């Protein structure tokens, strides 16, 4: 009997909750994508001018409301378009309604909103945000007009800026093509900019209301306010052209270019027992190390450490301990009992990282963080408590916090941070876009490393922690939610593709160690029954693992091997990574889009085998941890390879 096939959405995304439908609108050479009330990918011809204009409503934990839209009207003619709609954002405590009007004609776009709180509305930010893209922008000139009328010539940051590059903004003007300049003017409040790459968003974000003002703040019931964003162009605009058919993406293999990072996985304390129960599958995946939590605030730490010891023995993996200090006593006094508990458990960590609990919370620019011991005091005490063990420091949350509180790298053996792509937006396109920002993060982190090794992770689509609010967001409905600690795409092909793109970016950046996801749980590789719904996996007793398992296992086997220079001509469509295997090159490809893509391969000579993680192989791949160890499709010659939506391919030289 044929295996029962899950629905296509489950294979791709782990959820049947659909993404909102989008529509491309045009006005001459100007085009934009209308997406759930926002405008995205605002282009002049083929040049992206702005990534997004959106009116956003956020709560006191920086969570973003998903607006309920009604009375939507869209008009499209040959030379212009207009959009109008009503929107409402509400929860059990508050509600706000707003009216949006969008017009675009003759090279000028206007997005205006009139909002009226239906109750007193507690918010950290409500109003327009404007995102500038990175390509042709990062490191390039900009003219900033301030709210007092001053105009200043400057540049968008090249290295990721930990604080706001520009304050008190009224408009931003930059060059988008030879002889053509775009001016984005924002009215209705004072705006400022932050470098969104800190959170791996691929943009510079200009937002309403300066962070120096108190937050959260209350919008008074019934008090109406208006804001607008106007985009205009100076210069001779190009003529409108019909969109052409997408061509295959050229992917070229080159010479050896460094080494593959050591690939590991995370084991949160809450998952230690579950991971031990699935030790055989973890051992088969063979990660180079396990990143295990040692939280000095938790009374059950000795038992957790004993479980980690048994897990390390059962899997044969090295252990890196992420130590969290309560920060209420001197570092030596807090580290001593942790070191003693580690010794009593018989656990011998290959490396440790140490962070005070206060650094799990974000501190916004201009705000004062809590008092506590210095990092110098903590690292000195850690050297004494764990003599001869590699010591790392940085942050267990986002690169943002690393960039804003830079550790003294001279006292460390490695620096570390983690990331999540769902801090500010959680739709499919935005999550994949975060891969664009990683080269800038890598460049910036290495500039701060003092030449020390650079470790990242454990990272997943889901957020391990929310440094800006009381907790991560709940996700009982398997939605796409910002700052949630469970993201359904972890279980689908989407998660496998995003993670391959993530590894490809960091491998190209010379990373030493990269840890992905977790052994089990919301960010896991291995399925276990949990307190949240996992469609298909909950009903299929033979399903053991998520597609991502095969990516992690395959790349873990290549840890420390020769990395081959690989270039994708369209990295936003196809991510590529290659390394040297026993029989020759091994090329990994990931389709980062929801439509079929073709990769035209150059530099891969001889016969090969092709393994695909796609919709057709999904069921078999979830039931067989050795799926990639079996024979794949024989290729006499490696030429053009078709990749279905969010598929991952491994092309390995035949022996």
């Amino acid at each position: 009997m044929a295996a029962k096939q899950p629905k296509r959405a489950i294979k791709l995304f782990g959820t049947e909750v659909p993404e909102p439908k989008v529509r491309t609108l045009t006005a001459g050479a100007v085009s934009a994508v209308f997406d759930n009330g926002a405008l995205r990918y605002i282009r002049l011809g083929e040049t992206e001018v702005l990534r997004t204009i959106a009116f956003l409503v956020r709560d006191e934990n920086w969570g973003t409301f998903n607006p309920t839209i009604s009375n939507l009207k869209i008009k499209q003619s040959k030379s212009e378009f207009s959009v109008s709609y009503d929107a409402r954002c509400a929860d059990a405590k508050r509600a706000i309604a707003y009216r949006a009007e969008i017009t675009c004609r003759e090279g000028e776009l206007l997005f205006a909103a009139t909002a009226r709180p239906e109750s007193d509305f507690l918010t950290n930010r409500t109003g327009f945000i404007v995102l500038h893209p990175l390509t042709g922008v990062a490191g390039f000139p900009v003219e900033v007009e301030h709210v007092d009328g001053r105009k200043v010539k400057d540049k968008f940051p090249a290295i990721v800026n930990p604080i706001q590059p520009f304050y008190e903004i009224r408009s931003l003007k930059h060059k988008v093509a030879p002889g053509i300049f775009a001016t984005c003017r924002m009215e209705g409040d004072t705006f400022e900019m932050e470098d969104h790459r800190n959170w791996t968003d691929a943009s510079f974000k200009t937002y309403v209301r300066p962070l120096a003002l108190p937050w959260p703040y209350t919008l008074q019931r019934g008090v109406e306010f208006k804001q607008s964003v106007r985009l205009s162009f100076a210069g001779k605009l190009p003529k409108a052209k019909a969109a052409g058919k997408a061509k295959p993406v050229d992917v070229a293999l080159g010479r050896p270019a460094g080494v593959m990072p050591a690939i590991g996985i995370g084991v949160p304390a809450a998952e230690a027992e579950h991971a031990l129960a699935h030790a055989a599958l973890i051992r088969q995946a063979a990660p180079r190390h396990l990143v295990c939590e040692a939280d000095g605030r938790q009374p059950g730490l000795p038992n957790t450490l004993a479980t980690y010891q048994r897990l390390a023995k059962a899997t044969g993996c090295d252990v890196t301990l992420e130590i969290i200090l309560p920060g209420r006593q001197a570092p030596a006094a807090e580290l001593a009992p942790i070191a003693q508990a580690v010794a009593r458990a018989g656990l011998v960590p290959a490396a440790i990282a140490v962070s005070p609990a206060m650094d799990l919370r974000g501190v916004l620019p201009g705000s004062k963080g809590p008092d506590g011991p210095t990092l110098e005091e903590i690292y000195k005490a850690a050297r004494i408590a764990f003599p001869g063990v590699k010591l790392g420091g940085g942050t267990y949350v986002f690169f943002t916090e690393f960039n804003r509180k830079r550790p003294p790298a001279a006292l460390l053996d490695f620096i570390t941070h983690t990331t999540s792509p769902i801090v500010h937006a959680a739709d499919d396109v935005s999550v994949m876009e975060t891969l664009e920002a990683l080269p800038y993060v890598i460049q910036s982190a290495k500039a701060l490393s003092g030449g020390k090794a650079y470790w990242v992770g454990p990272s997943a689509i889901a957020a391990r922690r929310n440094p800006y609010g009381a907790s991560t967001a709940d996700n009982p409905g398997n939605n796409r939610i910002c700052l949630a600690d469970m993201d359904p795409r972890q279980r689908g092909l989407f998660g496998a593709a995003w993670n391959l793109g993530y590894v490809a970016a960091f491998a190209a950046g010379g990373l030493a160690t990269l840890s992905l996801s977790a052994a089990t749980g919301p960010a896991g590789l291995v399925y276990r029954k949990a307190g949240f719904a996992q469609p298909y996996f909950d009903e299929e007793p033979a399903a053991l693992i998520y597609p991502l398992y095969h990516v992690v296992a395959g790349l873990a086997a290549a840890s420390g091997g020769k990395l081959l220079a690989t270039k994708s001509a369209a990295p936003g469509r196809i991510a590529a990574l290659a390394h040297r295997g026993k029989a020759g090159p091994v090329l990994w490809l990931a389709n980062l889009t929801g439509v079929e893509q073709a990769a035209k391969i150059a530099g891969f000579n001889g016969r090969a085998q092709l393994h695909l993680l796609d919709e057709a192989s999904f069921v078999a791949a979830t039931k067989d941890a050795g799926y990639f160890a079996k024979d794949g499709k024989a290729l006499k010659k490696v030429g053009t390879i078709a990749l279905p939506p969010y598929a991952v391919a491994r092309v390995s030289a035949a022996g």
Side-chain angles (χ1 to χ4, degrees), residues 127-184:
F128 274 109
I129 62 103
V130 176
L131 305 183
H132 281 76
L134 301 181
T135 301
V137 175
F140 283 79
V142 61
E143 181 181 272
V144 182
E145 180 182 349
H146 294 282
V147 293
D148 61 3
R150 290 180 299 118
K151 293 183 178 180
V152 178
K153 295 185 183 297
D154 210 316
K155 287 186 177 181
F156 288 98
I159 295 291
V160 182
N161 194 324
I163 60 173
Q164 299 93 323
F166 309 122
Y167 299 86
E168 298 182 334
I169 301 169
R170 181 59 66 223
S171 71
L172 298 163
K173 179 180 178 181
H174 76 288
K175 186 176 181 179
V176 295
I180 303 176
F181 291 82
T183 299
C184 182

Side-chain angles (χ1 to χ4, degrees), residues 267-279 303-304 306-308 310-311 520:
V267 186
E271 294 296 325
E273 291 287 352
H274 297 295
L276 183 59
H278 294 87
N303 291 334
T304 302
T307 303
Y308 285 145
R310 296 195 297 273
L311 180 62
T520 57

Side-chain angles (χ1 to χ4, degrees), residues 209-292:
R209 189 175 168 94
L211 285 174
L213 296 176
W215 55 269
Y217 59 99
T218 298
L219 298 170
Q220 298 297 320
R221 176 183 178 184
V223 178
E224 185 178 278
F225 62 94
K226 299 180 180 181
Q227 295 177 14
S228 66
V229 176
R230 186 184 301 272
L231 177 66
S232 58
F233 297 93
K236 186 177 180 180
L237 302 188
K239 293 183 179 180
K241 292 183 180 179
K245 185 179 179 180
K247 297 179 180 179
V249 176
D250 291 325
V251 176
L253 274 70
R255 297 181 177 181
V259 299
M260 281 285 293
I263 302 296
I265 59 175
V267 186
E271 294 296 325
E273 291 287 352
H274 297 295
L276 183 59
H278 294 87
L281 284 169
I282 298 170
R283 184 180 185 90
Q284 188 170 343
R288 287 298 176 95
H289 58 273
L290 308 174
V291 180
C292 302

Side-chain angles (χ1 to χ4, degrees), residues 260 263-265 281-288 503 516 525-526 545-559 579 588 613 624-629 650:
M260 281 285 293
I263 302 296
I265 59 175
L281 284 169
I282 298 170
R283 184 180 185 90
Q284 188 170 343
R288 287 298 176 95
V503 177
L516 302 169
L525 310 177
V526 178
I545 53 180
Y546 308 131
L548 174 58
Y549 178 96
H550 301 288
V551 175
V552 172
L555 296 177
S559 296
H579 58 83
W588 293 79
L613 282 175
D624 185 0
Y627 178 74
F628 267 23
R650 187 185 72 180

